[in-house]
Structure formats: C-alpha cells, structure tokens
Amino acid sequence: MNNFDLSRRRFLKVASLGLGGYAFSHSIGNLSSWAVKSEPVTAIIIGSGFGGSVAALRLAQAGIHSIVLERGRRWPITPKQNTFATLRSPDGRSSWLSSVATFGDPVPIDVYTGVLELLPEDGINVYAGAGVGGGSLVYNGVTYQPTKANFERVFPRAISYEQMDRVYYPRVRSILQPSPIPSDILATEYYRLARVALQQATNAGLTGKLVDVALDWDVVRQEIAGERVASAIAGECWFGNNSGCKKSLDRNYLLQAEQSGFTQVLPLHVVTDIYEVPRYGYTVVCNQIDEGGNVLGQRTFFSKYVFLAAGSIGTTKLLVKAKAKGNLPRLNKHLGQFWGANGDTFGLRTGLPPTNPSQGGTASAAIEDYTNPLSPTVLLPGPQWNETQEGLLYHLGIGISPALGSFHYDQSTDSVKLTWPNNNPAIVKVREAALRTCETLNRGNITSEYQPSTAYVVDGITGHPLGGAVLGKVCDYYGRVKGYKGLYVVDGAMIPGSTGAVNPSFTIAALAERCLERIIPEFKLGKVW
Ligand SMILES: Cc1cc2nc3c(=O)[nH]c(=O)nc-3n(C[C@H](O)[C@H](O)[C@H](O)COP(=O)(O)OP(=O)(O)OC[C@H]3O[C@@H](n4cnc5c(N)ncnc54)[C@H](O)[C@@H]3O)c2cc1C
C-alpha cells in the first residue's frame, strides 16, 4: 500500500468517526459533509516558489506523494517565444489580477492571472511572483551567497554557516546551476553598464565582482546573435523572459519533481484557509479559479503533512488568519512578527561614462561595500528598459534591515495587512547606508570629463519580502511549526527580515533543503504523528 492509500484509509476512518465534536467544527460548518468532500493526500505543499519546489523535489525523491497547490498558471516557454508580456508592451499576463500593469507605467490591462503581484501594504509596496515557479518566473536569477559575517548578523548560531556553506548552498547550486556572465558576453555593447559598474567600484576602492546568475548564457548568446528574441539583453525580466534564458524553477526543481511521478502540481488553486483536524492532520481549502481570476469552485484537501511555501506574505497571511479565526489557535505570539524588506533600496547615479542603461540584463555585477559603518551594503546595477539618456546607472541596493514589520488580522474585511514602520531610524539608516555607498562611488570617479552624482536613493518598495513565521520563533530551526505536528514553513516567511546583504532566493532554497533533510526521515518513520 502506498502513502496515498494509507492517507486515504486513515482519512476515511477520521471521517467515519464523526468529527463534529472537535473544537474547529463551528468554523467550517457541518464537518462530516466537509470531511466527505475533502480529498485525502499524503502531503500538501502550498506554493511553488523556492521553498515549495525544494520541498516537492525532496519529498518526491523520498518516494512521498505530494500535491502542490499553486494560485497562478503555468508559463511554458514555447518556440514562438511570446509566453510573457513585456515591459515595453504590458498586457494582462504581466500582473496578478490587476487592472493596471503592476510595474513600469500603470497602463490599463485586462484582469488576468499574470506573473507579478503588487501588494500595497501599510508603509511598503511588496512585489511577489505568481505562477508555477513562483518568484523564479520574475527574478533576475541572482544567486548570491552571504558572507559568514553577514549571515551571522541575521541568523542564530543554531544554524551553522559552515554547514550551509558546505552542504546546502552547494546542493541548491547543483540544481540551479548558476554561473557568472561569460567574458565574451560581458564584452558586448549590451553589457556596458556592468563593465562601467565594475570599473567604478575599483576606482572607488570598493569590491566589484561578477555574481552567479541562474541564466542559460548560451541562450543569451543566441539573443545577441539575433537567433532568439531579445529579452535579457533588452532589459526584460520583471514580467518574465521570452527567450527562455531564465532557469526558473519549473524548468529544474519542479520539473524533476513532476517527472518523478510523485508530485502533482495543481495550478490556479488559491488556498484560502487551513484548519487543524486535531490528532489527525489538516484540511486545506482552496478556490479553483480560471485565468481571469473567477472562482470556478472550491476544493478541500486533507493531509497529515502541510508545507507552507506561499512566500513570506502569502504564508504569513494564511497563518495569521488561521490563528485569528481559531482554526490554528495554538500558533504562538511571534506569528506575524519579525518581517523585513531585506534592506532593499532603489537608486540612480548620473554623470557617468556611457552605460547603455536600457540594455544588459538580467543582472551580472555587484558592488560590495561591506565595511560601510551604517550597514553592510551591496549595489546591483541593472537595466532600465525605457531609459534613453546616457551615463546613468540604476541599481538595487541591499543592506541589513531590522525585522520591524508586523501583520494584523482585520475581522471586518477578513483580511491581513502588513505594517512597515518606514520612518523608524533603524530603517532610515539602511537607506542612508546605500546613499553613503553611492557617495563613495561618486567621489572615487570624478574626472575632468565626468562628475557623478546621486539622483536618488529610495526605499518603501521591495521584491524581497522575508519573515512573519520565523525560525526559532514560530517554527523551530527546521521549519517545524511549534505546537503543530506535521505543519511546516519552508519559504521566505521563516527568515527574519534579511538574508545578510544579498538577494534572498539562494538562502531560502538552501534553508528549505536543510529543513527537508531533517523532516523527511521523521516523516517516513512515522515519528511525526
Ligand atoms: C522582480 C523580482 C526580481 C527578483 N530577483 C531576484 C534575484 O535576482 N535573486 C534573488 O535571490 N531573489 C530575487 N527576487 C526575490 C525572489 O523572487 C524571492 O525571494 C523568492 O521567490 C521567494 O521564495 P519563496 O519560496 O519564499 O516564495 P515565492 O517564490 O514567492 O513562491 C510563493 C508561491 O506561492 C504562491 N502562492 C501565494 N499565495 C498562495 C495561495 N494563497 N495559494 C496558493 N499559492 C499561493 C505564489 O503564486 C508563488 O508561486 C526577486 C523578486 C522580484 C519580485
């Protein structure tokens, strides 16, 4: 008998016991009819981004069946190379259920289950990916490992950096296979901005380096040769890359999981609620939607094992709501706390040598200023697709922000809101750190011909939401939710606000690997229940 059959038999036993006496029955109505409607599965994974994809593959390799409930659709790259909308011509495919494009000019679009969600929270706007592959569909592919010192500024010593460095980062690397931009591509006119950035760093006494990027650089070569649609080289990224250059999770981790036969991905399934079935497991309720976001029906699944991987915002909101409504009442007081924006800022420097600023993505170089006294800071220059002026360098800045954000349930709207104290001096300091790094670069690059200056450094926007159900607080150090057997958090929600002055996906995936390695043996030995 396989795991699926076992779950089904046990579930039917639960249903036949008549669960109406349990505390949660009042909140979901007639439980026995509910139970009959539920579909039993061995393990449920909510969300198909970094945490969810790692969970899916490692469960599959252990011979454990899972379903992956993903709110968005699939985004397969086709020979027509027109899967995604573009920044230059956005349509509904660009944005998650929005009537205007979520990035760039807010042009009107058809409401559709597009790839990029904008969440206007209190004090901050948060971007998140939506679709099979999660944030990897829209990300730059920067696969950046923090230094030991910066990692240890954020994470408790219970999570050994040495072990992360020796085991888990390499494990993720072996699947994503990121690499730095090859020199022949870097030498092209498209990547002038990366070359200027590296030179500026050197001139200013800072570290300029190439970063590992999860791109297929051969495809980028084909873009340059005109054999594929210009996508990365044209500064596209945020709405996806039509050339197929991006190594998104649906093409590696998730693909391998699905090919195993143990993982079933269910797109267009939006999880709305999670309920405990005391002593037996969890019921997960979702709306099945069409590509326009219209609800087609409701499905409920039952399992003893639920992996939350809906991203920092998605996972935390589901849990905060479940606690507030009494569906997971024992979640502890730390839930919804310790959220941060990864020290993200966005900046622009002007008055530089020609940079060809609208081209040359998705990303390739970084400027490290880790001795910045205000905060360790890294600047990642990137293209601005609609820029026509020369001598500009746009960048994403990353510092180490304090995890001061918190989530609150609003009963009147049955929704959860994030609050971020953007004017808190500790947060302002991270923005000032980025400004300081810009000033260091400006000072070190004054010539008779060029006088660089900083046009702006702003915060209040992030694509790197982190925290809300943090390791060592809501979960133990392996993502096991305290007080709830078989319930796990394996995504950005487990990280306390920062990944140590680097982009977060590499650390999220590596920590998820670490969690799964610990969880799976217990799971298989039946120690969890
Ligand atoms: C434009 C952009 C560029 C980025 N570039 C980089 C980069 O270069 N390098 C880097 O390291 N990081 C980058 N990031 C950040 C990176 O994408 C995230 O840190 C990462 O994807 C988070 O992983 P996760 O597993 O926490 O969640 P996600 O990858 O966000 O996955 C969560 C998944 O859950 C789904 N979901 C959410 N709610 C529900 C629900 N209720 N029901 C069902 N499914 C649900 C979502 O659709 C999504 O697929 C970028 C982000 C953005 C927005």
Side-chain angles (χ1 to χ4, degrees):
M1 184 181 300
N2 63 30
N3 283 320
F4 182 85
D5 294 332
L6 262 176
S7 276
R8 181 180 290 272
R9 276 171 65 117
R10 285 188 193 134
F11 175 73
L12 292 174
K13 193 170 146 206
V14 174
S16 70
L17 285 173
L19 289 169
Y22 288 112
F24 79 113
S25 64
H26 71 276
S27 49
I28 60 170
N30 182 331
L31 187 60
S32 48
S33 70
W34 193 269
V36 168
K37 278 194 294 182
S38 294
E39 302 170 54
V41 289
T42 307
I44 297 171
I45 299 168
I46 303 172
S48 63
F50 286 87
S53 297
V54 169
L57 178 59
R58 299 310 172 195
L59 289 173
Q61 288 175 335
I64 299 165
H65 287 273
S66 70
I67 58 164
V68 181
L69 299 172
E70 167 55 51
R71 66 177 172 171
R73 50 160 280 199
R74 288 184 191 269
W75 296 91
I77 298 296
T78 64
K80 285 192 175 165
Q81 299 177 73
N82 61 359
T83 299
F84 299 102
T86 61
L87 291 163
R88 290 163 176 84
S89 181
D91 57 34
R93 293 171 299 169
S94 66
S95 307
W96 177 255
L97 302 181
S98 170
S99 56
V100 292
T102 47
F103 184 71
D105 297 330
V107 295
I109 52 170
D110 48 317
V111 174
Y112 189 73
T113 46
V115 274
L116 187 66
E117 181 181 33
L118 172 61
L119 295 128
E121 301 292 340
D122 191 359
I124 192 154
N125 285 327
V126 181
Y127 281 102
V132 176
S136 76
L137 295 165
V138 296
Y139 86 150
N140 290 276
V142 175
T143 306
Y144 206 159
Q145 184 173 332
T147 63
K148 181 174 191 293
N150 286 340
F151 184 90
E152 290 179 348
R153 285 175 81 132
V154 177
F155 293 98
R157 296 298 159 96
I159 302 171
S160 154
Y161 182 83
E162 282 76 15
Q163 201 184 24
M164 292 287 287
D165 181 50
R166 200 179 63 252
V167 181
Y168 304 112
Y169 284 118
R171 194 169 289 174
V172 176
R173 189 181 289 282
S174 73
I175 306 274
L176 296 182
Q177 300 191 357
S179 59
I181 184 170
S183 53
D184 60 310
I185 299 179
L186 181 62
T188 63
E189 188 54 21
Y190 294 104
Y191 288 87
R192 180 181 279 276
L193 76 85
R195 296 199 304 277
V196 171
L198 294 171
Q199 189 59 55
Q200 294 258 312
T202 306
N203 294 348
L206 300 177
T207 302
K209 68 182 216 186
L210 298 178
V211 286
D212 285 331
V213 189
L215 285 196
D216 183 335
W217 292 106
D218 281 338
V219 173
V220 178
R221 279 193 187 94
Q222 290 167 18
E223 289 187 27
I224 292 169
E227 295 161 12
R228 297 238 189 172
V229 64
S231 183
I233 59 169
E236 295 287 344
C237 165
W238 282 60
F239 296 152
N241 284 102
N242 278 321
S243 66
C245 63
K246 200 180 286 183
K247 296 180 176 177
S248 50
L249 296 162
D250 52 327
R251 308 173 79 193
N252 42 68
Y253 266 103
L254 268 183
L255 179 68
Q256 290 181 35
E258 288 192 274
Q259 284 174 342
S260 74
F262 284 93
T263 306
Q264 189 188 359
V265 178
L266 298 177
L268 300 170
H269 281 62
V270 184
V271 174
T272 57
D273 290 286
I274 306 171
Y275 301 90
E276 180 189 18
V277 182
R279 288 184 285 127
Y280 284 96
Y282 304 93
T283 300
V284 173
V285 184
C286 53
N287 287 332
Q288 201 173 352
I289 59 172
D290 65 18
E291 290 183 0
N294 305 300
V295 178
L296 303 174
Q298 203 174 50
R299 286 181 82 173
T300 63
F301 297 91
F302 171 83
S303 180
K304 290 160 58 136
Y305 309 101
V306 176
F307 292 81
L308 284 135
S312 159
I313 303 280
T315 288
T316 308
K317 286 190 172 181
L318 280 171
L319 289 177
V320 168
K321 185 175 159 192
K323 181 178 179 185
K325 294 176 91 169
N327 303 331
L328 293 171
R330 296 188 309 283
L331 289 169
N332 70 27
K333 65 177 184 189
H334 301 299
L335 177 67
Q337 307 296 315
F338 307 108
W339 184 90
N342 203 33
D344 279 6
T345 57
F346 292 86
L348 170 64
R349 292 173 55 244
T350 60
L352 279 65
T355 50
N356 198 8
S358 65
Q359 318 262 296
T362 54
S364 38
I367 299 169
E368 290 177 346
D369 185 10
Y370 285 160
T371 56
N372 186 321
L374 297 176
S375 165
T377 298
V378 63
L379 304 186
L380 292 124
Q384 177 75 9
W385 80 101
N386 56 356
E387 186 55 73
T388 51
Q389 213 181 314
E390 257 306 348
L392 308 182
L393 207 53
Y394 290 85
H395 66 255
L396 161 69
I398 307 179
I400 299 187
S401 69
L404 298 176
S406 56
F407 292 76
H408 306 279
Y409 176 68
D410 179 349
Q411 197 175 4
S412 64
T413 56
D414 189 26
S415 64
V416 179
K417 196 87 182 159
L418 164 67
T419 300
W420 177 243
N422 207 21
N423 292 323
N424 184 292
I427 294 169
V428 172
K429 198 169 147 188
V430 176
R431 187 171 70 228
E432 287 172 349
L435 196 57
R436 190 183 174 110
T437 300
C438 289
E439 297 307 318
T440 304
L441 285 165
N442 293 343
R443 271 196 311 278
N445 284 283
I446 298 171
T447 65
S448 55
E449 211 177 341
Y450 301 108
Q451 285 83 44
S453 65
T454 308
Y456 61 78
V457 170
V458 293
D459 57 9
I461 307 169
T462 186
H464 298 162
L466 293 168
V470 164
L471 294 167
K473 300 284 188 188
V474 174
C475 329
D476 69 4
Y477 292 119
Y478 295 95
R480 299 175 290 203
V481 176
K482 293 179 181 176
Y484 285 96
K485 289 178 178 174
L487 191 63
Y488 312 102
V489 173
V490 292
D491 60 5
M494 66 179 155
I495 292 175
S498 164
T499 47
V502 291
N503 317 54
S505 64
F506 198 20
T507 298
I508 294 170
L511 284 171
E513 289 280 12
R514 181 178 176 276
C515 294
L516 267 293
E517 185 181 81
R518 175 61 64 104
I519 291 165
I520 283 174
E522 296 175 357
F523 193 113
K524 289 190 88 179
L525 292 170
K527 277 192 184 167
V528 178
W529 288 87

